[in-house]
Amino acid sequence: MSSIGTGYDLSVSTYSPDGRLFQVEYAAKAAENAGLSIGLKCTDGIVLAVEKIVQSKLLVKGANRRIMSLDNHVGMVSSGLLADGRHLAKRGREEAQSYRDQYGAPMTLKALIERVAMYEHAYTCYGSVRPFGISTIMAGVDKTGPQLYVVEPSGSYYGYRASAVGKGKQLAKTELEKLDLSTITVKQGVMEVARIAHLVHDDNKEGNFELEMTWIGPETKGFHEHVPSQLLQEAEEAAKRALEEAMEED
Amino acid sequence: MNHHPGAWGQTLTPHQRFDAYSSSAPSRYQPSSAGSGVVGNDHGMYDAGNEAVMAGGTGVVGHTQQPLVTGTSVLGLVFDGGVMLAADNLASYGSLARFRDIQRLIPLESSKHSSSCLAVGGDMSDFQYLQKQLETMITNERTQALGDDHPSLGPRQIYEYLSNLMYARRSKMDPLWNAMLLGGVKDGESFLGYVDLLGTTYTSPTLASGFGSHMAQPLLREAYESRQAQGKSGEREGELMSRDEAVAVLEDCMKVLYYRDARSMNKYQIATITASGVDISASKSNETEWKFAEGLRGYGPQKQ
């Protein structure tokens, strides 16, 4: 890539002769190589999960949470540079709050994702800034029902039934495609997402990981909350059992 | 001016209307055309058109000096397992029963592990402003509390915020014209507190604002204390009222208030705050008996 990019990858405000923005592509690379994030839209809510590689044994277990809330009814998780994710979440919160102040109603996901994506896009238009090094899943339940979107560093966004970003996203997406997404509930979703996270993760290559999971569903009264630790534990144990059984069959 | 909640919405006598200290602030927009000292209208209530006359034109900003649409007293009571709040559904315009389907109890869902509810009396527009402020603050804190670096709000924290807000506003000489009770439960611990337009705060297992602090508070205390005594002497289990007992006491107090408070209405709601959340009842009313009033002078057919 270096031979192709030479001279045209120094600024995000310069196209290459074949019409590419190399800085934006490099930002996408930063997102692709970070821990996996999964989002799932169910019939009665949404599930978000992130695979957190344990960087040091000195870190407290369960600390350093990665999934964030933008409003009562909206959750967000991103793969890539952590600080970029936090900054984007801060912006998302401000947008959601200002919408509430102005219109007296919770923001729809469609409106929120539009504003957040335009904010990200602005960082691909000027030579003085760098694009966000994150791929972001934003999901929530608004007046139109459960919604899920993914925003890329370029500022482009798409709505999905389920998606994954970060390392191993291809395999995770293939697994998500096998689910019956038109009938799945959040309870089933939690089990499936845990299974997929454990399936995609390679302990030998990447070391141990912690699974963090949040949801919005019948049990959370429309609020974005952490999946109860007991349920998460059950889901992880079931995931490990399923993997072992699959190994034995092979 | 008489700031006591019992005097809200009352008209003033000519004697009360005399403003010895010229307390209505002068307007900065209109040059002075009349001297101060007397409120310039004859009904003694707020009159927007007359504000410039009331003001002295010395460049000082004028603030609201009396409430317009008001709710009357609210009640609160700690029971076994939580807190109950009661408020009627009336918002009066002076002495007119103007809005008769207003919910003055607002649930505040600040975190998964605690629940709180606010019961508000006083100016209804200030109440609506306050509700928006609180909900903004609570949503903001709640979204941040999902991470592990930010604590979540409980009733005590909301009460502290409310107290500071009310005190800051009265110190600006621009109070939010309300008296309210905040009830909540966190980690199995009940909380009940009072805040008013002066920034005055106090907490107690039984509370009432405005007219209720005269009429209902003694009844609430009596019920609370006799239950404590019975619990201690072993006549009954526990030292706090059960849910049913608490509802009965509150219903009785609302009835007494309806009989004696001319700004009240026989249609009210009770909020029950427990560890499992806030339950706000449908509007209900009490059986009342007015036969005795036939013999009262000024009510029945007799003349003087």
Side-chain angles (χ1 to χ4, degrees), chain A residues 63-64 71 97 101 225-226, chain B residues 112 132 136 139 142 146 148:
Chain A
N64 301 306
D71 200 337
Q97 191 59 61
D101 289 345
E225 284 172 3
H226 282 277
Chain B
K112 200 172 158 186
K132 206 170 170 185
T136 301
T139 306
R142 192 176 172 130
L146 193 80
D148 48 7

Side-chain angles (χ1 to χ4, degrees), chain B residues 118-191:
Chain B
L118 190 65
V120 190
D123 190 273
M124 296 318 278
S125 56
D126 281 352
F127 154 54
Q128 286 169 349
Y129 165 78
L130 197 66
Q131 180 178 4
K132 206 170 170 185
Q133 286 289 303
L134 274 177
E135 280 170 0
T136 301
M137 187 269 290
I138 286 170
T139 306
N140 192 7
E141 294 289 318
R142 192 176 172 130
T143 53
Q144 284 178 274
L146 193 80
D148 48 7
D149 49 357
H150 201 84
S152 66
L153 292 178
R156 279 170 197 281
Q157 286 73 42
I158 299 174
Y159 181 65
E160 194 66 29
Y161 176 85
L162 256 183
S163 311
N164 287 334
L165 181 70
M166 296 302 275
Y167 179 69
R169 288 298 294 261
R170 84 101 218 201
S171 298
K172 278 199 270 183
M173 297 291 280
D174 188 14
L176 294 173
W177 217 286
N178 299 105
M180 58 212 143
L181 301 180
L182 184 95
V185 178
K186 190 184 184 188
D187 304 327
E189 199 188 333
S190 296
F191 175 84

Side-chain angles (χ1 to χ4, degrees), chain B residues 27 38 86 107 115 123 128 138 178 232-233 235 252 276:
Chain B
S27 162
V38 178
S115 35
D123 190 273
Q128 286 169 349
I138 286 170
N178 299 105
K232 279 200 180 103
S233 65
E235 280 174 61
D252 187 46
S276 57

